[in-house]
Amino acid sequence: MNILERLLPGYNCGECGRRSCRDFAEHLSSAEDLSRCPFMSQERFRGRLDEIRRILERGASHERIVGVMDGLEAEFSLGPLDGEMSCREDLHPLGHCTLEAGDLIRYRPLGCPITHFAEVLEFDRGVAKVRIVGPLFGERSDYRDLGICMVLAFEGRVVRGRVPEVGRTVRFLPEHCMMQKVHSGVVVHSEGDRVRIEAIDLKVW
Protein backbone atom coordinates (compact mmCIF):
# COMPACT_ATOMS: atom_id res chain seq x y z
CA MET A 1 0.00 0.00 0.00
CA ASN A 2 1.52 3.36 -0.98
CA ILE A 3 1.19 6.57 1.00
CA LEU A 4 -1.55 8.04 -1.22
CA GLU A 5 -3.68 4.91 -0.91
CA ARG A 6 -3.41 5.06 2.89
CA LEU A 7 -4.77 8.62 2.85
CA LEU A 8 -7.79 7.86 0.64
CA PRO A 9 -11.12 6.78 2.27
CA GLY A 10 -10.66 3.11 1.32
CA TYR A 11 -14.31 2.51 0.42
CA ASN A 12 -13.53 1.20 -3.09
CA CYS A 13 -16.86 2.60 -4.28
CA GLY A 14 -15.83 3.10 -7.91
CA GLU A 15 -17.40 6.58 -8.16
CA CYS A 16 -14.07 8.02 -9.33
CA GLY A 17 -14.11 5.73 -12.34
CA ARG A 18 -11.44 3.39 -10.97
CA ARG A 19 -12.03 -0.11 -9.63
CA SER A 20 -10.52 0.60 -6.18
CA CYS A 21 -8.94 3.32 -4.04
CA ARG A 22 -5.61 1.64 -4.73
CA ASP A 23 -6.10 1.99 -8.48
CA PHE A 24 -7.19 5.62 -8.00
CA ALA A 25 -4.07 6.36 -5.89
CA GLU A 26 -1.80 4.88 -8.54
CA HIS A 27 -3.21 7.23 -11.18
CA LEU A 28 -3.34 10.42 -9.10
CA SER A 29 -1.18 13.04 -10.75
CA SER A 30 -2.69 16.36 -9.61
CA ALA A 31 -4.89 17.84 -6.90
CA GLU A 32 -7.63 18.35 -9.49
CA ASP A 33 -7.96 14.55 -9.82
CA LEU A 34 -9.14 14.41 -6.20
CA SER A 35 -12.45 16.05 -7.14
CA ARG A 36 -13.47 12.72 -8.70
CA CYS A 37 -13.64 11.15 -5.21
CA PRO A 38 -17.05 11.95 -3.63
CA PHE A 39 -15.71 11.56 -0.08
CA MET A 40 -12.52 13.63 -0.08
CA SER A 41 -14.51 16.88 -0.05
CA GLN A 42 -16.15 15.92 3.26
CA GLU A 43 -14.96 17.72 6.39
CA ARG A 44 -13.77 14.51 8.08
CA PHE A 45 -11.23 13.95 5.30
CA ARG A 46 -9.97 17.56 5.11
CA GLY A 47 -6.68 16.77 6.85
CA ARG A 48 -6.02 13.86 4.51
CA LEU A 49 -6.93 15.98 1.50
CA ASP A 50 -4.37 18.61 2.48
CA GLU A 51 -1.70 15.94 2.98
CA ILE A 52 -2.37 14.38 -0.45
CA ARG A 53 -2.12 17.84 -2.04
CA ARG A 54 1.26 18.40 -0.35
CA ILE A 55 2.54 15.02 -1.58
CA LEU A 56 1.38 15.67 -5.14
CA GLU A 57 2.97 19.13 -5.13
CA ARG A 58 6.40 17.85 -4.12
CA GLY A 59 6.07 14.67 -6.19
CA ALA A 60 5.03 11.27 -4.83
CA SER A 61 8.25 9.84 -6.24
CA HIS A 62 10.07 11.08 -3.09
CA GLU A 63 8.58 8.16 -1.16
CA ARG A 64 11.39 5.73 -0.35
CA ILE A 65 10.94 2.18 -1.67
CA VAL A 66 13.08 -0.14 0.43
CA GLY A 67 13.43 -3.91 0.22
CA VAL A 68 12.63 -5.76 3.45
CA MET A 69 15.08 -8.60 2.83
CA ASP A 70 18.15 -6.55 1.96
CA GLY A 71 17.38 -2.97 3.05
CA LEU A 72 18.34 -1.69 -0.41
CA GLU A 73 16.47 1.22 -1.95
CA ALA A 74 14.64 0.68 -5.24
CA GLU A 75 13.86 3.29 -7.86
CA PHE A 76 10.32 2.01 -8.34
CA SER A 77 8.00 -0.86 -7.50
CA LEU A 78 6.50 -2.99 -10.24
CA GLY A 79 2.86 -4.04 -9.99
CA PRO A 80 0.56 -6.13 -12.17
CA LEU A 81 -0.95 -5.12 -15.48
CA ASP A 82 -4.64 -4.21 -15.32
CA GLY A 83 -6.81 -7.20 -14.44
CA GLU A 84 -3.88 -9.41 -13.38
CA MET A 85 -2.59 -10.50 -9.97
CA SER A 86 1.16 -10.02 -10.33
CA CYS A 87 3.89 -8.82 -12.65
CA ARG A 88 4.49 -11.09 -15.62
CA GLU A 89 7.70 -13.08 -15.74
CA ASP A 90 9.57 -14.70 -18.63
CA LEU A 91 11.06 -18.03 -17.53
CA HIS A 92 13.56 -20.40 -19.06
CA PRO A 93 13.26 -23.88 -17.48
CA LEU A 94 16.69 -25.47 -17.01
CA GLY A 95 15.27 -28.85 -17.99
CA HIS A 96 13.71 -29.62 -21.39
CA CYS A 97 9.92 -29.27 -21.44
CA THR A 98 7.01 -28.23 -23.62
CA LEU A 99 4.25 -26.05 -22.17
CA GLU A 100 0.95 -24.66 -23.37
CA ALA A 101 -1.06 -21.56 -22.45
CA GLY A 102 -3.17 -22.33 -19.39
CA ASP A 103 -0.73 -24.85 -17.88
CA LEU A 104 -0.13 -24.45 -14.15
CA ILE A 105 3.48 -24.79 -13.09
CA ARG A 106 5.60 -24.97 -9.95
CA TYR A 107 9.20 -23.75 -10.06
CA ARG A 108 11.95 -22.08 -8.10
CA PRO A 109 13.71 -19.08 -9.66
CA LEU A 110 17.48 -19.51 -9.81
CA GLY A 111 18.93 -17.75 -6.76
CA CYS A 112 15.60 -17.50 -4.91
CA PRO A 113 14.66 -19.78 -1.98
CA ILE A 114 10.88 -19.43 -2.54
CA THR A 115 8.89 -21.91 -4.63
CA HIS A 116 6.50 -20.15 -7.04
CA PHE A 117 3.26 -21.29 -8.67
CA ALA A 118 2.24 -19.67 -11.95
CA GLU A 119 -0.09 -19.87 -14.93
CA VAL A 120 1.51 -20.06 -18.38
CA LEU A 121 0.34 -17.30 -20.74
CA GLU A 122 2.59 -18.16 -23.70
CA PHE A 123 5.38 -20.62 -24.52
CA ASP A 124 7.71 -19.95 -27.42
CA ARG A 125 11.20 -21.28 -28.19
CA GLY A 126 11.79 -22.55 -24.69
CA VAL A 127 10.64 -19.39 -22.89
CA ALA A 128 7.42 -19.29 -20.85
CA LYS A 129 5.62 -16.02 -20.15
CA VAL A 130 3.77 -16.52 -16.85
CA ARG A 131 1.82 -14.75 -14.15
CA ILE A 132 2.29 -15.74 -10.53
CA VAL A 133 -0.71 -17.32 -8.80
CA GLY A 134 0.89 -17.92 -5.43
CA PRO A 135 3.56 -19.47 -3.27
CA LEU A 136 0.96 -22.09 -2.28
CA PHE A 137 -1.60 -23.87 -4.41
CA GLY A 138 -4.05 -25.31 -1.89
CA GLU A 139 -5.12 -28.88 -2.56
CA ARG A 140 -4.66 -28.74 -6.32
CA SER A 141 -2.16 -31.15 -7.81
CA ASP A 142 -2.67 -30.57 -11.54
CA TYR A 143 0.52 -28.54 -11.96
CA ARG A 144 3.78 -29.26 -13.79
CA ASP A 145 6.88 -29.25 -11.61
CA LEU A 146 9.64 -27.52 -13.60
CA GLY A 147 12.30 -27.39 -10.91
CA ILE A 148 14.72 -24.48 -11.21
CA CYS A 149 14.06 -21.79 -13.85
CA MET A 150 15.96 -18.69 -14.88
CA VAL A 151 13.88 -15.52 -14.72
CA LEU A 152 14.72 -13.63 -17.90
CA ALA A 153 12.33 -10.68 -17.69
CA PHE A 154 9.62 -8.89 -15.72
CA GLU A 155 6.75 -6.91 -17.19
CA GLY A 156 4.26 -4.79 -15.29
CA ARG A 157 3.21 -1.29 -14.30
CA VAL A 158 5.24 1.18 -12.25
CA VAL A 159 3.01 1.79 -9.23
CA ARG A 160 5.43 3.75 -7.04
CA GLY A 161 8.41 5.87 -8.06
CA ARG A 162 9.30 7.24 -11.46
CA VAL A 163 8.88 5.43 -14.76
CA PRO A 164 12.45 4.65 -15.91
CA GLU A 165 13.99 5.45 -19.26
CA VAL A 166 14.63 2.70 -21.80
CA GLY A 167 18.22 1.44 -21.73
CA ARG A 168 18.85 2.15 -18.05
CA THR A 169 19.97 -0.45 -15.53
CA VAL A 170 17.55 -0.08 -12.62
CA ARG A 171 16.78 -1.32 -9.14
CA PHE A 172 13.13 -2.30 -8.73
CA LEU A 173 10.89 -4.11 -6.28
CA PRO A 174 8.32 -6.58 -7.70
CA GLU A 175 5.19 -6.12 -5.58
CA HIS A 176 4.46 -9.86 -5.52
CA CYS A 177 7.93 -10.79 -4.23
CA MET A 178 7.37 -12.62 -0.93
CA MET A 179 10.81 -11.65 0.35
CA GLN A 180 10.30 -8.03 -0.75
CA LYS A 181 13.79 -8.17 -2.24
CA VAL A 182 15.12 -5.51 -4.59
CA HIS A 183 15.96 -6.85 -8.08
CA SER A 184 17.99 -5.25 -10.86
CA GLY A 185 17.73 -5.35 -14.64
CA VAL A 186 17.74 -3.33 -17.86
CA VAL A 187 14.64 -1.49 -19.10
CA VAL A 188 14.04 -2.54 -22.71
CA HIS A 189 10.53 -1.15 -23.27
CA SER A 190 8.41 1.59 -21.75
CA GLU A 191 4.89 2.68 -22.71
CA GLY A 192 3.10 4.93 -20.26
CA ASP A 193 3.58 3.30 -16.86
CA ARG A 194 4.07 -0.15 -18.40
CA VAL A 195 7.68 -1.37 -18.54
CA ARG A 196 9.62 -4.49 -19.50
CA ILE A 197 12.87 -5.27 -17.69
CA GLU A 198 15.34 -7.92 -18.88
CA ALA A 199 18.74 -9.26 -17.69
CA ILE A 200 17.23 -9.86 -14.25
CA ASP A 201 19.64 -10.22 -11.35
CA LEU A 202 19.02 -10.74 -7.63
CA LYS A 203 22.53 -9.35 -6.95
CA VAL A 204 22.15 -5.60 -6.82
CA TRP A 205 25.43 -3.73 -7.18
Side-chain angles (χ1 to χ4, degrees):
M1 179 182 290
N2 70 31
I3 191 168
L4 294 177
E5 183 187 354
R6 287 195 296 270
L7 292 168
L8 289 172
Y11 298 145
N12 300 320
C13 67
E15 289 295 316
C16 63
R18 298 288 179 181
R19 60 185 175 180
S20 65
C21 289
R22 178 180 187 176
D23 197 32
F24 184 53
E26 290 171 0
H27 290 85
L28 270 176
S29 60
S30 69
E32 288 74 29
D33 290 342
L34 289 168
S35 64
R36 291 188 289 151
C37 175
F39 301 102
M40 290 306 292
S41 60
Q42 296 177 2
E43 183 63 33
R44 60 188 168 145
F45 292 114
R46 185 169 301 281
R48 294 188 191 186
L49 180 65
D50 292 341
E51 179 63 19
I52 290 174
R53 284 180 173 146
R54 282 193 292 271
I55 291 169
L56 291 173
E57 284 170 7
R58 70 174 183 257
S61 62
H62 291 291
E63 179 187 3
R64 293 184 71 226
I65 303 166
V66 180
V68 174
M69 183 75 174
D70 45 28
L72 296 174
E73 188 164 352
E75 297 170 49
F76 59 92
S77 63
L78 197 66
L81 301 175
D82 288 341
E84 298 190 4
M85 297 178 291
S86 72
C87 311
R88 293 181 176 187
E89 294 183 8
D90 282 13
L91 306 175
H92 175 61
L94 296 187
H96 176 73
C97 69
T98 300
L99 299 169
E100 296 181 1
D103 283 351
L104 301 172
I105 59 172
R106 180 174 73 175
Y107 66 98
R108 184 172 66 80
L110 183 66
C112 176
I114 305 295
T115 299
H116 293 51
F117 287 86
E119 177 188 1
V120 176
L121 301 173
E122 300 173 20
F123 186 73
D124 184 33
R125 288 174 274 192
V127 175
K129 184 181 295 294
V130 305
R131 59 181 167 213
I132 308 301
V133 294
L136 300 174
F137 217 46
E139 300 299 318
R140 294 188 62 172
S141 59
D142 57 338
Y143 56 80
R144 301 270 305 276
D145 193 344
L146 302 187
I148 296 175
C149 294
M150 290 184 66
V151 178
L152 305 176
F154 279 86
E155 189 170 354
R157 291 175 48 240
V158 175
V159 294
R160 288 188 293 157
R162 292 184 184 273
V163 176
E165 296 175 2
V166 171
R168 287 194 54 234
T169 299
V170 294
R171 294 181 176 192
F172 68 100
L173 185 63
E175 283 206 328
H176 68 269
C177 178
M178 284 189 64
M179 296 193 304
Q180 287 295 283
K181 183 172 180 9
V182 175
H183 296 50
S184 66
V186 178
V187 179
V188 298
H189 181 75
S190 175
E191 184 178 346
D193 59 4
R194 179 173 178 161
V195 296
R196 179 176 171 83
I197 307 161
E198 296 181 353
I200 303 302
D201 200 339
L202 291 176
K203 300 186 299 296
V204 179
W205 307 103

